[in-house]
Amino acid sequence: MNFNSLYSHAKLQMHLCMLFIISGGTNPERDRSIEMASNGNGNASVATGKGSGGRNGLPKIQTQKRQNAICHDDTAPTVKAQTIDELHSLQRKKSAPTTPLDGVQGAFANLTEEERHKQQLQSISASLASLTRETGPKLVRGDPARQSETPRVSHAPDHHFAPTFSASDSSLKFTHVLYNLSPAELYEQAIHYEKGSFITSSGALATLSGAKTGRSPKDKRVVRDETTEDELWWGKGSPNIEMDEHTFLVNRERAVDYLNSLDKVFVNDQFLNWDPENRIKVRIVSARAYHSLFMHNMCIRPTAEELENFGTPDFTIYNAGQFPCNRYTHYMTSSTSIDLNLGRREMVILGTQYAGEMKKGLFGVMHYLMPKRQILSLHSGCNMGKNGDVALFFGLSGTGKTTLSTDHNRYLIGDDEHCWSDKGVSNIEGGCYAKCIDLSREKEPDIWNAIKFGTVLENVVFDEHTREVDYLDKSVTENTRAAYPIEYIPNAKIPCVGPHPKNVILLACDAFGVLPPVSKLNLAQTMYHFISGYTALVAGTEEGVKEPRATFSACFGAAFIMLHPTKYAAMLASKMEKHGATGWLVNTGWSGGSYGSGSRMKLAYTRKIIDAIHSGKLLNANYKKTEVFGLEIPTEVEGVPSEILDPVNTWSDKKAYKETLLKLGGLFKNNFEVFVNHKIGKDDKLTQEIVSAGPKF
């Protein structure tokens, strides 16, 4: 039977079925033209035997009367829904019941689900409350686009809304709270509402951070009050730019008013620090799904039980980055302001949508809070061997910190931020924030494979049809990034904690070519080079000549520290001495001459050096001391040519080597001048000890 015949046959079936229904059942006259035959299941069938032809040569239709005289196809069960909205509600089932809270003490313990939701909204309303009004905003849970799903309204505790002459328009509206959404839900929000959001071919979410594609350190300010006046590092060399309490409150009010004016806000309640005894509860209120997913990845994700019992956060971020600050406000120098108030435990972001401001802002908070508990906060990578030996890796951009700390033979505890307590080390974060420029599967397979569903890709360029990312393209920015949960790394250690470190490795990319490939440091030298935070960048000069440019960043993360660098250094030395850790200075830069005449240290040699440190073999090597810096260098390392271990051997021009060595030593001395006058404790004995560990000439 051809297509036309089938189509005619189907139409005839439909007409006969309708005729049967309209007639109210059987009819003797009609039944003489339509032969009734039961096929056992109540369905109509086609009579195909001889003499069964119908009009126009079509086969006869055999049908059967059904109960209530209705003819229909019941080969599959019908959907249990009366409306399309009901059908859509069946598509999404409620989350599984959360872990019972038997014996749990906290704000939300022993409450019904409705009561917990109400208290969560009350807590969020309190966070979003204006300082000039009695109550917080009126909140409801859910997406405003799905009005039928919106539950009842909740206000701040013990307050009811009653319009008065002083009421504002914002107090008359509801703000929808999208609370701790999953990555899938955030994908939907971003793609539907945020221009510039796309799903790439690998499944990652590509987003844009707007005009700012990096941090704005000159626009970051900290409230200077009676407490922080004496505690924080202020003045020359400090990253802490001061502001007063009043100006902070002006900016806070601006951010809160902006967030409350929106139809919906995203709220993340999460943790910092994998050490459960010293973790910090953080709340992030933001206007973009991109920001919510970014922080979902970068902070530690709470379990269902932990979320139910979350209570009041220890620190809150108000990210109103799409809205500018008022440039006429005191202390403001641009439309961007990132403001930190350690007394109120709050952070306000205005005028920048770059998500890294949230990550690094919280890192600064940890640099303030953790030392108060005698816990050292560190800007470092951290991995652990199969025998439990832990190593910390410090290094600025381009030193190889990510490459060397990511070792398939060792477990990754974290790639960027850590704490060292009396129990050992712990990762501060729940994710990784990797650079993507020039990324390839061959060079960084772990990062490449981590860029999948759930990952945020910032400011990358991709093919408009295939959505394949071009990691070489710098059209938007060179600072392209990927933010993904640490679980996406195959050898990540979960939970991200480990015992006390055995090795502290300071990485430097010395483009001057005068530092040894590896040096063993005593405690004073470790503190000196930790405070210095040295590496060298290559910058173009006139007439095509290129020379190295020294870069120093205190504690290998000057932009994020809150206290004076010597305080972190003293804590580091104390913990190293107590737990028997060894300090190492590893040069991943140039050998045989400065940049332009020498050559970059081979990665294979550096890996051999790192392996010898991990195994403990380098501790038993023979050492000799270098001039100027007074570094102890091994005479041999397995797998590394002995002649390159002392940089003077690799320079053909010995005079040029000595001049370059003295030049670098002078740069170190000049940089350290800002730290010389700072005293630790009642006297400056420790400071003098650190200074004496520097270059001598």
Side-chain angles (χ1 to χ4, degrees), residues 521-596:
L521 306 175
N522 59 36
L523 286 178
Q525 288 175 322
T526 302
M527 287 191 285
Y528 181 89
H529 288 279
F530 175 70
I531 292 172
S532 296
Y534 164 71
T535 194
L537 306 177
V538 176
T541 58
E542 295 181 1
E543 298 179 357
V545 178
K546 294 184 177 181
E547 295 179 351
R549 177 168 55 89
T551 299
F552 298 93
S553 182
C555 306
F556 293 93
F560 322 120
I561 61 176
M562 306 296 290
L563 313 179
H564 194 277
T566 54
K567 294 187 178 181
Y568 299 106
M571 288 185 70
L572 176 63
S574 175
K575 290 184 179 296
M576 288 178 65
E577 185 174 30
K578 181 177 180 180
H579 301 290
T582 305
W584 306 90
L585 180 63
V586 175
N587 175 23
T588 62
W590 268 253
S591 176
S594 298
Y595 178 86

Side-chain angles (χ1 to χ4, degrees), residues 377-389:
S377 49
L378 300 165
H379 188 213
S380 68
C382 183
N383 65 24
M384 184 180 80
K386 295 176 182 178
N387 296 323
D389 59 296

Side-chain angles (χ1 to χ4, degrees), residues 272-273 278-280 361-371 375 377 417 419 428 562 568:
L272 296 177
N273 197 354
N278 292 293
R279 71 183 182 185
I280 302 296
L362 289 176
F363 189 31
V365 172
M366 295 297 280
H367 269 313
Y368 173 74
L369 295 178
M370 291 298 101
I375 297 172
S377 49
E417 303 174 9
C419 286
I428 290 176
M562 306 296 290
Y568 299 106

Side-chain angles (χ1 to χ4, degrees), residues 524-525 527-529 531 566 569-570 672 680 685-694:
Q525 288 175 322
M527 287 191 285
Y528 181 89
H529 288 279
I531 292 172
T566 54
F672 217 82
I680 302 176
K685 180 180 177 182
L686 189 54
T687 305
Q688 290 301 321
E689 183 183 353
I690 298 172
V691 173
S692 65

